[in-house]
Amino acid sequence: MTDSPAFRVPLDPSEQPILDRILTIRDHLFLLKQDRSTYVKSADVVQYYHQLIEQVERLNHIRESKRDEQNRVDTVLDDCFQLISLFFLTVGRNLEAPAVYSAISTVKRLLDHLTEAGFYSPKDLESISHHLEQWETSVTQGRDAHSPHLLTLLEARIDVCKQRLAELQASLSKLDPDMMGTYEKLVSILRSLSACNTRSKFPAKDVKQYEDQLLQIQAELHESRDNHEGKSAVQVYAERLASMSLTDSAVADGPTVVSALLARCLLWVEVIQEKQGKIDERFLDMYDKLIKLRNNLEQMNLTQAWSLRETDLYSFQRQLDRVDESRVDGNFIDAEGRPADLYAQRTLLYLLRKSYAYIYQYIVSSEPVSEALLPIYNQLLTLKRCLEEVQRSGGIDSPRELYPYSMKLNSIDNMRKDGKFMVGNEIPEGQASVSALLAECFDLAYELREDSQRELDEDETPPVKGTRIPA
């Protein structure tokens, strides 16, 4: 099991029974996560959730006079809540407060890393802002159904994320539409350069193409390239990072933000052309670990809709958390406590941020449907896309062309018992979502059939008596 880094604070003897109990709960959750022989049932998840809340209430009672206490109890509690949160997503209860816990933890790290990186796209912030509002609504609506201890914690974490988000949004507030377009292009290029930097074989040709794009932007903006005679590109890049930050209290004007980012891009091109993708040997193990995590998360993107169980993300989260929390003052350090050079620091940070971004993507794209109903739901999604594509392509020539779709839709509709999709004697979560999607598919098929029949009727309509038929 991948555990969180353990606190070294001595454990209060009165908290030992709580630690023992939540360790047992975590073990049960982990076994439930590993069991692929059957789908996860909502009742099992809720059972462990209530047991965990009971322990939180006991802990809060003990800590009435020491609210800031942090020890191993807290790290194991965090493990449990992370797992519970992902289980709520797995069973399709996405809109309930416990499901928010893992998402908020991931977003907090993403926002920290975007701040640290010093560049980000407005689209990054728009997505996070949109989902923060959704999660805040879930927490508000959960007041009667969930423990106030959990809700207070979630509200506090959401507030922290909203504050950090507002700082990042403010830093781009003076970019006009034209400058914003250039800024977004620079962000895309800088990220692409960082990705090139992590390939198994350094793509010199691709890097040169990105450099040409940067020089073209430089010419359009009438900027000049940094003259760092007597200093390396790494030294000048480090100086720029130290002297400027997108999140300074004084918000820079649009041209200054774009000009600074362009300078960083041009310097970073020089840095990676010199390094050729070679990482300091002291950090090769960490680099290889992050590359593997990034690649595994990226590959999950190909099969996400069909095979991803949200609890699968737990082990990735925990491994990334351990790497992130092993840093000292934001620096990656070696076994002897020495920090990495700037090139390794920025490359490792890119891999860390990219991996968290994949986890965020999978969490927010999780459908509010139990994994028991996901096979049906995914089939309906595919049918809907096919019917929409047929509609966009001009429709059908004959109702007969709809037979395969109609047969599949009817077979799915016939699976319902008393209007419910059953799995054994259970009624899995997500009934409304699956039924709504089925209805959409039937509506699309009906529209296509009606359009086709209308065209046939028009073609077969006999001419009005006395009307001359054109030759």
Side-chain angles (χ1 to χ4, degrees):
M1 182 185 299
T2 307
D3 200 355
S4 299
F7 282 92
R8 301 300 182 189
V9 178
L11 184 67
D12 184 331
S14 62
E15 294 185 10
Q16 186 63 51
I18 296 175
L19 176 60
D20 294 340
R21 182 61 190 137
I22 60 177
L23 282 170
T24 301
I25 293 172
R26 189 181 67 173
D27 289 343
H28 284 304
L29 289 170
F30 199 72
L31 289 172
L32 187 62
K33 167 188 173 299
Q34 288 183 306
D35 184 5
R36 292 279 185 168
S37 63
T38 183
Y39 72 92
V40 178
K41 297 177 179 61
S42 184
D44 293 336
V45 177
V46 172
Q47 169 192 349
Y48 293 123
Y49 166 68
H50 287 311
Q51 291 177 16
L52 193 60
I53 291 298
E54 182 182 336
Q55 300 307 310
V56 170
E57 291 173 351
R58 290 179 59 194
L59 181 64
N60 286 341
H61 180 71
I62 292 173
R63 292 186 180 177
E64 281 182 345
S65 60
K66 46 178 182 177
R67 291 297 186 188
D68 295 331
E69 178 83 12
Q70 289 283 302
N71 55 40
R72 187 158 184 247
V73 174
D74 300 273
T75 62
V76 179
L77 267 177
D78 184 58
D79 288 343
C80 292
F81 275 119
Q82 289 279 7
L83 276 167
I84 287 287
S85 179
L86 293 171
F87 270 120
F88 265 74
L89 294 176
T90 301
V91 299
R93 301 176 69 163
N94 303 40
L95 303 180
E96 296 190 37
V100 170
Y101 189 96
S102 183
I104 291 296
S105 299
T106 302
V107 162
K108 173 61 169 60
R109 291 187 186 273
L110 262 183
L111 290 170
D112 288 344
H113 295 157
L114 289 175
T115 303
E116 189 177 349
F119 68 96
Y120 37 86
S121 165
K123 293 178 182 177
D124 298 332
L125 307 186
E126 289 168 10
S127 173
I128 291 174
S129 177
H130 169 70
H131 287 101
L132 276 175
E133 289 179 7
Q134 287 187 332
W135 299 328
E136 191 170 30
T137 300
S138 296
V139 172
T140 301
Q141 293 175 343
R143 295 198 181 283
D144 295 332
H146 297 286
S147 166
H149 302 284
L150 174 63
L151 299 183
T152 300
L153 173 63
L154 292 175
E155 287 170 347
R157 292 191 175 188
I158 289 174
D159 286 343
V160 170
C161 289
K162 288 173 69 175
Q163 181 180 351
R164 178 55 56 85
L165 179 66
E167 294 171 356
L168 297 177
Q169 289 171 328
S171 67
L172 303 182
S173 60
K174 293 188 178 180
L175 286 169
D176 61 37
D178 290 338
M179 297 303 290
M180 183 63 79
T182 303
Y183 173 83
E184 288 182 323
K185 187 172 183 179
L186 289 172
V187 169
S188 176
I189 291 173
L190 190 47
R191 285 182 175 169
S192 297
L193 285 169
S194 297
C196 288
N197 209 32
T198 60
R199 293 190 196 173
S200 56
K201 182 179 179 182
F202 184 74
K205 184 178 178 181
D206 291 348
V207 172
K208 184 64 174 67
Q209 289 176 348
Y210 289 124
E211 183 181 22
D212 292 341
Q213 292 179 41
L214 291 171
L215 292 174
Q216 183 180 346
I217 294 173
Q218 182 187 52
E220 293 170 355
L221 297 178
H222 305 292
E223 295 283 347
S224 58
R225 195 161 187 170
D226 269 357
N227 180 12
H228 52 82
E229 187 175 351
K231 294 182 180 179
S232 68
V234 170
Q235 289 175 317
V236 180
Y237 192 94
E239 289 172 2
R240 277 194 169 272
L241 287 178
S243 64
M244 81 98 193
S245 170
L246 285 178
T247 56
D248 284 342
S249 56
V251 178
D253 59 63
T256 300
V257 171
V258 172
S259 175
L261 186 55
L262 172 62
R264 286 180 59 191
C265 289
L266 289 167
L267 285 167
W268 189 240
V269 165
E270 290 187 54
V271 172
I272 67 175
Q273 285 174 333
E274 178 185 340
K275 292 290 186 178
Q276 297 281 306
K278 296 177 182 176
I279 294 285
D280 186 330
E281 289 185 1
R282 294 177 299 146
F283 296 92
L284 270 179
D285 288 344
M286 185 176 294
Y287 174 80
D288 290 340
K289 179 178 183 178
L290 287 173
I291 282 284
K292 184 177 180 181
L293 286 168
R294 192 274 312 266
N295 291 346
N296 287 340
L297 284 164
E298 186 176 31
Q299 289 168 8
M300 289 169 66
N301 197 36
L302 302 174
T303 58
Q304 175 201 358
W306 296 96
S307 62
L308 175 67
R309 176 185 273 187
E310 284 79 0
T311 50
D312 294 342
L313 298 174
Y314 173 81
S315 60
F316 291 104
Q317 283 180 321
R318 277 299 173 245
Q319 291 179 74
L320 292 169
D321 291 349
R322 294 195 70 169
V323 172
D324 200 13
E325 292 167 15
S326 69
R327 297 196 288 161
V328 177
D329 297 327
N331 294 316
F332 293 92
I333 59 172
D334 64 12
E336 298 178 5
R338 296 173 299 175
D341 58 66
L342 182 138
Y343 173 75
Q345 291 282 357
R346 305 305 288 185
T347 301
L348 294 172
L349 177 62
Y350 165 77
L351 289 170
L352 192 60
R353 185 200 60 76
K354 187 67 176 176
S355 296
Y356 275 116
Y358 276 122
I359 290 175
Y360 167 76
Q361 174 189 330
Y362 297 142
I363 288 176
V364 300
S365 60
S366 173
E367 300 289 354
V369 175
S370 167
E371 66 172 350
L373 295 183
L374 269 182
I376 298 173
Y377 188 82
N378 288 327
Q379 289 178 54
L380 288 171
L381 275 180
T382 302
L383 282 168
K384 181 183 176 183
R385 294 190 189 105
C386 291
L387 289 167
E388 288 175 336
E389 184 59 35
V390 170
Q391 201 171 46
R392 280 192 296 268
S393 301
I396 56 175
D397 296 325
S398 166
R400 289 180 178 274
E401 295 177 32
L402 284 175
Y403 283 179
Y405 303 104
S406 297
M407 289 176 63
K408 185 61 179 178
L409 288 172
N410 285 324
S411 70
I412 292 176
D413 192 27
N414 291 335
M415 293 170 66
R416 294 197 284 187
K417 298 178 182 178
D418 298 326
K420 303 290 185 183
F421 290 96
M422 307 284 289
V423 176
N425 295 322
E426 302 286 335
I427 304 177
E429 303 282 345
Q431 297 290 328
S433 297
V434 178
S435 296
L437 189 54
L438 178 61
E440 287 182 52
C441 290
F442 272 122
D443 288 343
L444 281 168
Y446 178 78
E447 289 172 13
L448 286 166
R449 186 179 296 105
E450 287 294 297
D451 290 343
S452 173
Q453 190 61 51
R454 192 179 304 111
E455 290 178 8
L456 287 174
D457 291 343
E458 289 173 358
D459 291 341
E460 295 174 2
T461 300
V464 177
K465 190 174 182 180
T467 301
R468 182 178 178 185
I469 301 176

